[in-house]
Amino acid sequence: MAILEVNGLKVFFHTRNGTVKAVNDISFSVDSGETLAIVGESGSGKSVTCYSLLDLLPKPPAKIEAGTALFEGNDLLTCSKDQMRQHRCNDIAVIFQDPMTSLNPFLTIGEQLIEPLVHHPDKDQAITRRSAKEKAIALLDEVGIIDSQERFDCYPHEFSGGMRQRVMIAMALITEPKLLICDEPTTALDVTIQAQILELIKKLQETRNVAVIFISHDLGVVAGIADKVIVMCEGTIREADITDNIFYKTKDDYTKKLLSAIPEGAKTLPNRSIHGSPLIDVSNLKTYFKNQSGKKDNENQFVKAVDDVSLAISRGEILGLVGESGSGKSTLGRSILQLAPATSGSVKFDDQVLTGMNAKQLVPWRKRMQMIFQDPYASLNPRMTVFETLSEPLLYHGLASKKEIAQHVKQLMDDVGLAQAQLRKYPHEFSGGQRQRIAIGRAIATKPEFIIADEPVSALDVTIQAQILDLILDLVEQHNLTMMFISHDLSVVRYISDRVIIMNRGVIVEQGDTEGLWARPKEPYTKDLLSAIPLADPRSERLRIATR
Amino acid sequence: MYRFALGRILQAIPVLLAVITVTFFLIHSAPGGPFSADKAVPPEVIKALEEQYNLNQPIWQQYVSYLGDVVRGDFGPSFKYSGRTVNELIAAGLPITAELAFYAMIVALVIGLLAGIGAAVRPNTAQDYIPMTAAMIGICMPSFLLGPLLVLVFGINLEWLPVSGWGDIPGDKILPSITLGAGFAAYIARLSRGGMLEVLSQDYIRTARAKGLSETLIILKHALRGGLIPVVAFLGPAFAGLLSGSFVVETIFQIPGLGRFYVQAAFNRDYTLILGMTIFLSTLIIVFNLLSDMLAIWLNPKLRHEIKGAK
């Protein structure tokens, strides 16, 4: 029996720049004990759909224009404020995307866990703090928080991302809801943590028989856990069917596009001919940071972000650098480019030692090595037009005169696939993918030999991600670049790299040519990483979850 | 936390030294002196007076001996109020000014917080626009305008409240406290509105709503602590500002507080009194800033943790 039935839901945002039809006439239903996945790219309306059910949208600008959402026969969209509080407290719970911002930093996690029980809208259903605490601690144990008794009084910042998401899950389950909405619950987490959290949600759902709506942009993530899948695009449902039909028998073009955009399998281009001495030669590099918090004994005085790393990158090679958050991969990249001062060790670029050079001595070398950053929203100056952003490195390094500059910049725009007419626009006028193209254009402007790309596609939607990866491969080929490609996403790295280095806790765990490493990983850590990659293949995913 | 406080106190020493030095040489370089008057005074009298107060020594010697006195907590004798020391004058005026500042602070906090939080809860409605317009007017209106206006309305026309004095007639403390507190209430209203709006748009407020908590609980428990941090950080400078800025209000309402001495001392070239008051008020400003910073840190568990960790 359907626990939730949504019919003809329309949610529009009335903004100064006109009406945005965020959700435009969608209908679906969820049965108890069932998992419904809603998949779509950013802006598809998947989150808005779910927030409108619980009246969590900011109104204005949001307005529910039409539709009903019957939860056990009661319409959620027209119920009173008090009834909505009852639903939130008793029936429907949400696990939000970002556990870093979704927990109140000013209150202990224990306090946040027990408050819906202690301050229940029904006075006679409210329970004492003591019994609420007992319940909370039992639940913390169940979601895998160790030392739950002591951790009960800790603040959110004392937990890691994965642990916070466990707390968030406990918080959602403490009121024993009948419907659980998971809004991208693993997007902000590392791949091994993601696998653990997915398993946890699946297990808890089975023991409690709750209905789950699982929102994700990642088809791979939902493959193993969903019973039904809805594919959304621009506020409408493109396709809704049982999971296997979506993955194996889809007829919809958009779904096909989503599936084909998932980077899968090996690099299609042949490995490039690698010749001569290595362009980059790193030996025994250590980059330590002073420990800001915690005890100041000799053991913990420094955070060893990069601890004795040696590697070489040949000319023309794309080296993939994989690691989870905190593994030191970004610091290693910045240390190679002399953006983060190394504690000891040396970095050689074209047989010239860069470590120890001062800022002025580095200038001619900076031209030859560039970086593409992760977040195209944060790494472009919002007060500079595209033209200014792209011309700055050219003028600074004296690669073009004022007269020629327009020609150079237009050429760059062509190279990265942006229209020349957009030169005078500011970054906020572009989409995420276009911004990353600008950032890539800025990096290749000086015609560098070596580029470090630090998670260049992880902030992008999967179809955009595929385009940007192809652009990077093209440019590497065209300009004969050498690249270090840093990512937490193993599928992406496999798609693009000739050789892979796996990093963990500041040291290199394993390295080797990409396909060899995939086929025969030696280290247990590498095996864990590889087995945690979610595959867009429901049958093998289910098998894997069942056998783990 | 102690380490943090100690560090800040040590940092205050050079600041105070700079304040003393700049003030000392500024007032000594101003034309005239404490004993230049309209009437001609015989030169031998001036000479005797200058000898008595060590004004005949080279200026750097005066500076060094003054510094020595200050370190011992002695601000010296007043040049104009003969027979009384600066310490005595401050001790006489401070309790009155402190009381006035305290009441003004209560006025500022009650009005400011109610208006600011009320506005943030329903932004872009009458509940937001009306208090915020009032706050804008409150910031713009100087106390020498607001004071007489209040006196005119509540003292003379309505005859509800006394128009001057301090502690002589019941109710004579009300108008000065409101006059002094109004401007600060306006600042607090704007700060608390801004802080609350920022916090209310955070993801964790949405989480609290999704848990089915009541709006009252969300505001009082989840939003207030974060939202009021800017206000807490403002309290220190505000209290120091109330203490040092009470001169106008004290003049309007004939209150025998500190402010009066300060301004008269400047006109009279009462070197020791100016210096003593300046050092005293600077110290208060530093102390109150430190206290409100410590409170703001204590309110934020993450900062609390980091300060503890640095110990």
Side-chain angles (χ1 to χ4, degrees), chain A residues 84-86 88-89 116 119-121, chain B residues 207-214:
Chain A
M84 180 47 80
R85 267 192 72 196
Q86 294 280 359
R88 288 171 177 176
C89 229
H119 302 285
H120 197 280
Chain B
T207 310
R209 287 216 173 94
K211 282 194 285 188
L213 303 182
S214 69

Side-chain angles (χ1 to χ4, degrees), chain B residues 12-30 59-68 70-71 75 271 274-276 278-280 282-283:
Chain B
I13 292 173
V15 174
L16 274 177
L17 192 68
V19 167
I20 296 172
T21 312
V22 170
T23 319
F24 186 90
F25 289 104
L26 260 183
I27 52 173
H28 279 274
S29 64
I59 191 149
W60 63 268
Q61 254 179 30
Q62 292 181 37
Y63 173 70
V64 169
S65 71
Y66 183 78
L67 270 188
V70 169
V71 169
F75 291 141
Y271 292 160
I274 297 174
L275 275 167
T278 308
I279 296 165
F280 179 69
S282 316
T283 314

Side-chain angles (χ1 to χ4, degrees), chain B residues 142-157:
Chain B
S143 50
F144 59 77
L145 179 62
L146 181 64
L149 272 178
L150 289 177
V151 166
L152 202 66
V153 175
F154 294 100
I156 297 170
N157 288 352

Side-chain angles (χ1 to χ4, degrees), chain A residues 386-499:
Chain A
V386 179
F387 182 83
E388 288 168 323
T389 299
L390 293 180
S391 57
E392 188 181 42
L394 292 169
L395 293 172
Y396 177 74
H397 288 291
L399 295 170
S401 67
K402 288 250 174 185
K403 272 185 202 155
E404 309 159 335
I405 195 80
Q407 202 46 48
H408 276 90
V409 171
K410 280 178 186 161
Q411 179 62 41
L412 277 175
M413 293 289 273
D414 287 345
D415 282 355
V416 296
L418 287 170
Q420 295 184 359
Q422 294 180 316
L423 269 178
R424 301 287 160 190
K425 287 189 177 175
Y426 287 90
H428 71 266
E429 298 174 80
F430 293 91
S431 68
Q434 287 173 320
R435 286 185 213 206
Q436 202 57 297
R437 285 175 192 268
I438 300 170
I440 292 170
R442 190 205 54 76
I444 61 167
T446 60
K447 303 221 182 311
E449 292 146 70
F450 178 59
I451 289 185
I452 293 186
D454 189 0
E455 305 255 13
V457 295
S458 54
L460 305 174
D461 276 327
V462 58
T463 53
I464 312 293
Q465 173 176 313
Q467 294 168 11
I468 297 290
L469 288 176
D470 289 339
L471 172 71
I472 290 176
L473 283 174
D474 273 358
L475 291 172
V476 165
E477 196 65 39
Q478 253 178 50
H479 296 264
N480 201 21
L481 291 167
T482 306
M483 179 174 271
M484 184 157 110
F485 189 97
I486 302 174
S487 181
H488 70 280
D489 187 332
L490 291 122
S491 311
V492 167
V493 168
R494 185 183 184 192
Y495 181 74
I496 203 165
S497 317
D498 305 315
R499 194 158 63 90

Side-chain angles (χ1 to χ4, degrees), chain B residues 47-249:
Chain B
K47 201 167 173 232
L49 278 169
E50 286 191 337
E51 224 158 80
Q52 189 191 336
Y53 291 109
N54 290 334
L55 288 174
N56 54 345
Q57 288 172 355
I59 191 149
W60 63 268
Q61 254 179 30
Q62 292 181 37
Y63 173 70
V64 169
S65 71
Y66 183 78
L67 270 188
D69 289 343
V70 169
V71 169
R72 274 179 266 117
D74 178 9
F75 291 141
S78 165
F79 289 174
K80 276 287 167 177
Y81 299 88
S82 53
R84 301 183 69 182
T85 63
V86 173
N87 295 47
E88 282 167 14
L89 288 171
I90 291 177
L94 181 64
I96 293 172
T97 299
E99 197 188 349
L100 173 62
F102 180 70
Y103 292 143
M105 188 55 122
I106 290 175
V107 169
L109 279 175
V110 170
I111 298 176
L113 289 181
L114 283 179
I117 296 168
V121 172
R122 299 200 201 301
N124 305 322
T125 61
Q127 193 178 323
D128 180 14
Y129 291 137
I130 294 169
M132 283 308 118
T133 311
M136 205 62 230
I137 295 170
I139 288 173
C140 298
M141 184 170 327
S143 50
F144 59 77
L145 179 62
L146 181 64
L149 272 178
L150 289 177
V151 166
L152 202 66
V153 175
F154 294 100
I156 297 170
N157 288 352
L158 296 171
E159 294 188 9
W160 287 357
L161 293 166
V163 300
S164 74
W166 188 257
D168 307 325
I169 326 166
D172 64 357
K173 293 179 181 173
I174 295 176
L175 284 185
S177 306
I178 292 175
T179 311
L180 186 56
F184 291 91
Y187 274 110
I188 289 175
R190 291 180 64 84
L191 280 175
S192 54
R193 176 182 182 268
M196 288 297 282
L197 272 182
E198 161 107 33
V199 169
L200 284 173
S201 69
Q202 296 287 320
D203 285 353
Y204 58 80
I205 298 296
R206 187 181 62 195
T207 310
R209 287 216 173 94
K211 282 194 285 188
L213 303 182
S214 69
E215 278 300 304
T216 325
L217 195 70
I218 290 171
I219 287 160
L220 292 182
K221 190 170 159 190
H222 282 264
L224 220 50
R225 279 185 85 164
L228 291 192
I229 283 180
V231 177
V232 169
F234 174 66
L235 282 186
F239 201 68
L242 285 172
L243 280 175
S244 56
S246 61
F247 158 69
V248 176
V249 176

